[in-house]
Amino acid sequence: QVQLVESGGGLVQAGGSLRLSCAASGRSISAYAMGWFRQAPGKEREFVASISWNGGSIVYADSVKGRFTISRDNAKNTVYLQMNSLKPEDTAVYYCATKTYTTRATFDLWGQGTQVSVSS
């Protein structure tokens, strides 16, 4: 079973940047799509970005387009989320996600999350 560990969260002022990392162990991620989700207090978990197994297909939520960049390094078994021009509304716990099998439609394996807090 794969384990996902997120890191890189923290407190930053509005307009600042953070880079989140998601290190996978127990299984190679090279054949799997990967995603980032977030959950703000009192809200449901929401999609942020996803990247296909080879990076050829990338999707972003409208709320982060032009500010966030998802990338992956399959050799390092790691996925990244570069977050620029951060806004207070980006404050949330950010989760890395993958799938139990490659053809599954939805993400169903999650890391423990990393807190991102953006002050105004």
Side-chain angles (χ1 to χ4, degrees), residues 1-6 22-29 34 76-79 96 98 109:
Q1 184 76 317
V2 65
Q3 288 82 44
L4 304 174
V5 178
E6 303 93 336
C22 171
S25 62
R27 184 190 79 186
S28 171
I29 65 168
M34 301 293 295
K76 294 183 178 180
N77 230 27
T78 301
V79 178
C96 178
T98 187
L109 295 175

Side-chain angles (χ1 to χ4, degrees), residues 16-106:
S17 298
L18 284 173
R19 188 194 195 203
L20 306 184
S21 298
C22 171
S25 62
R27 184 190 79 186
S28 171
I29 65 168
S30 60
Y32 295 82
M34 301 293 295
W36 285 96
F37 290 73
R38 67 187 181 185
Q39 187 167 19
K43 295 186 177 181
E44 293 187 354
R45 188 175 298 184
E46 66 174 4
F47 169 79
V48 174
S50 65
I51 185 168
S52 61
W53 68 276
N54 63 353
S57 177
I58 291 175
V59 180
Y60 295 101
D62 287 344
S63 59
V64 307
K65 278 181 183 177
R67 301 188 299 121
F68 291 10
T69 302
I70 188 172
S71 61
R72 64 190 299 157
D73 185 336
N74 286 340
K76 294 183 178 180
N77 230 27
T78 301
V79 178
Y80 305 97
L81 185 68
Q82 177 67 43
M83 306 186 296
N84 298 329
S85 302
L86 283 161
K87 304 175 181 180
E89 51 264 44
D90 294 318
T91 295
V93 177
Y94 283 71
Y95 298 90
C96 178
T98 187
K99 303 177 182 181
T100 50
Y101 52 92
T102 58
T103 55
R104 183 181 170 87
T106 59

